[in-house]
Amino acid sequence: MNLLITGGAGFIGSSFILFMLAKYPWYRIINVDKLTYAGNLENLRGAEGNPRYTFLKADICDRQAMDEVMRKYEIEVLVNIAAESHVDRSIVGAAEFIQTNVGGTSVLLDAARDHKIRKFVQVSTDEVYGSLGPSGKFTEQSPLHPNSPYAASKASADLLTLAYHHTHGVPVVITRCSNNYGPFQFPEKLIPLMIANALQDKPLPVYGDGMNVRDWLQVADHCSALDVVLHSGRTGEIYNIGGSNEKTNLEVVRLILKQLEKPESLIMFVKDRLGHDRRYAIDSSKIQSELGWKPSVTIEEGLAQTVRWYLEHREWWERIISGDYMEYYRKMYEER
Ligand code: NAD
Ligand code: DAU
């Protein structure tokens, strides 16, 4: 099978490519990535030299390039993972989020329609549902209520994806996953940022009161969910993906400090994120009962493995935080 994966040089995309190459030794995988600040080909060392893997530096908003990729590689199935993914950046400026997350998805949907591909998996997020109170979980029927520019761009892309199914018969499936963590996650996101700061004995910036809740899922479990949705997900359907691992940010940060044997005095409460969603929790019973997927690790086990990975791959994140990243960090956290 010829499979196009977009955003394959990012955190989830690179993990998914390595997972698919290993699991399906007869698939041919084309990775289209623009290599923004978040795209890093070092994440794909494990795929280098594999004759079944091709990397193409291209923008999903480039209509001609996407058409050419579809034609040249005879793409049969597409998993759209490319996106601007960081909520804080979308608060500073939304333009690139609209361009890539909405505009890019629309270009890919057109290409999918024109080339009659067999399946289009749109990788979305639980953030499209907005924020929960102290109880309850998001189901696939929960109303869309995106609160950040990032979430609004992903919700728009979801609606466009469903409209292409309804109008043009494009065989789409949408996944909405909760917060991921694991190897190769860019250190602007909570878990890798806290690990990297703790390892440098730098303050750990916790937004607001630290009581916001996220539902954590190890990236490998997200990959196995995408795999079942890609192969068995019903066309036109939405599948929530989550680990039932709800934790407050403060609990996560304390777990990291404990595993690294660092003092809690490193925790620094900083100004809250604008429009900060209070709580996310995912009801993933549909994918579990229909497609037989389930998460394999708890946050405690997964976090311990992740902390170990960041300890053993210091050169990976040190290289990132020594470049442009420092300018980003100064700007974002000075303003708080
Ligand atoms: P990431 O920021 O690590 O990676 C995004 C990748 O997309 C990068 O390699 C980047 O270069 C590429 N990209 C960006 N704009 C592009 C463009 N115009 N053309 C081609 N490539 C482009 O993101 P991630 O955390 O791996 O998230 C991947 C996807 O999963 C996103 O769609 C995100 O909305 C979704 N998601 C993420 C999480 C999470 O916790 N990280 C949870 C649920 C859903
Ligand atoms: O829920 C899925 C979403 O999870 C994905 O769609 C997004 O792409 C992904 O970035 C993630 O969004 P969040 O905003 O939940 O993740 P982030 O790691 O940025 O923040 C997690 C929580 O930690 C959130 O409540 C904000 C808080 N936080 C984050 C940072 C970076 C802090 O307290 N301090 C920080 O420095």
Side-chain angles (χ1 to χ4, degrees):
M1 183 162 78
N2 296 333
L3 167 61
L4 171 59
I5 296 175
T6 70
F11 163 51
I12 295 169
S14 55
S15 181
F16 186 59
I17 287 177
L18 296 173
F19 175 96
M20 293 298 281
L21 282 173
K23 183 157 179 195
Y24 300 101
W26 57 96
Y27 283 12
R28 182 177 168 75
I29 295 183
I30 316 299
N31 172 18
V32 161
D33 198 295
K34 182 181 170 184
L35 297 183
T36 66
Y37 78 92
N40 185 349
L41 290 177
E42 277 183 50
N43 304 1
L44 287 158
R45 284 259 162 83
E48 271 171 22
N50 189 322
R52 294 184 293 110
Y53 168 73
T54 304
F55 170 70
L56 300 169
K57 184 174 184 309
D59 188 333
I60 58 165
C61 302
D62 183 339
R63 203 166 274 281
Q64 218 181 326
M66 291 310 103
D67 201 58
E68 171 71 6
V69 171
M70 292 282 186
R71 196 189 48 71
K72 182 168 172 194
Y73 295 96
E74 298 176 349
I75 299 300
E76 299 166 83
V77 169
L78 190 162
V79 183
N80 183 25
I81 304 181
E84 287 294 334
S85 69
H86 193 38
V87 172
D88 290 327
R89 289 183 190 253
S90 81
I91 294 169
V92 175
E96 283 177 75
F97 287 73
I98 306 304
Q99 195 178 316
T100 287
N101 301 2
V102 188
T105 302
S106 126
V107 167
L108 292 172
L109 285 164
D110 278 340
R113 175 198 57 198
D114 295 347
H115 292 269
K116 299 188 173 45
I117 71 159
R118 285 202 279 119
K119 193 106 162 220
F120 185 109
V121 180
Q122 173 66 8
V123 176
S124 187
T125 167
D126 61 357
E127 298 205 10
V128 299
Y129 298 122
S131 188
L132 288 165
S135 62
K137 292 183 175 206
F138 297 129
T139 72
E140 289 82 359
Q141 277 76 46
S142 298
L144 295 181
H145 197 302
N147 288 321
S148 70
Y150 160 72
S153 70
K154 295 294 289 186
S156 307
D158 284 11
L159 293 177
L160 201 58
T161 302
L162 292 172
Y164 267 64
H165 172 60
H166 184 80
T167 309
H168 298 295
V170 177
V172 308
V173 194
I174 293 175
T175 60
R176 293 184 177 148
C177 189
S178 61
N179 286 63
N180 284 213
Y181 65 93
F184 297 117
Q185 187 168 28
F186 196 86
E188 65 186 353
K189 305 282 166 65
L190 180 76
I191 288 179
L193 174 69
M194 297 298 158
I195 298 173
N197 279 15
L199 285 172
Q200 300 168 92
D201 297 306
K202 280 171 56 176
L204 272 50
V206 172
Y207 299 166
D209 62 3
M211 297 309 284
N212 301 66
V213 172
R214 296 293 182 264
D215 183 350
W216 294 96
L217 184 74
Q218 200 187 39
V219 66
D221 281 332
H222 189 182
C223 291
S224 66
L226 292 177
D227 176 23
V228 296
V229 169
L230 172 65
H231 291 97
S232 316
R234 283 184 295 131
T235 297
E237 291 291 316
I238 295 166
Y239 292 92
N240 281 353
I241 305 169
S244 295
N245 278 300
E246 282 183 57
K247 287 270 182 265
T248 65
N249 294 336
L250 213 46
E251 283 173 319
V252 170
V253 171
R254 287 196 173 122
L255 269 173
I256 291 170
L257 287 171
K258 196 165 164 221
Q259 279 161 11
L260 290 172
E261 295 175 2
K262 297 283 183 180
E264 290 199 3
S265 56
L266 282 177
I267 295 175
M268 183 176 74
F269 289 96
V270 297
K271 208 173 114 210
D272 210 351
R273 172 185 279 175
L274 292 178
H276 199 171
D277 283 341
R278 193 62 172 173
R279 177 172 165 260
Y280 303 148
I282 274 276
D283 177 341
S284 60
S285 50
K286 179 174 172 181
I287 187 171
Q288 300 211 23
S289 62
E290 240 186 57
L291 307 181
W293 172 86
K294 60 177 187 338
S296 67
V297 289
T298 63
I299 172 84
E300 285 78 9
E301 295 159 340
L303 201 53
Q305 291 167 10
T306 301
V307 165
R308 224 173 300 129
W309 187 89
Y310 280 84
L311 272 169
E312 287 164 5
H313 294 80
R314 259 193 111 107
E315 74 300 338
W316 181 85
W317 56 267
E318 278 181 345
R319 193 154 33 243
I320 291 172
I321 66 174
S322 66
D324 293 348
Y325 174 82
M326 279 323 287
E327 190 45 43
Y328 158 83
Y329 192 82
R330 253 192 304 277
K331 193 162 168 291
M332 291 302 261
Y333 289 88
E334 239 168 39
E335 284 166 2
R336 289 184 183 275

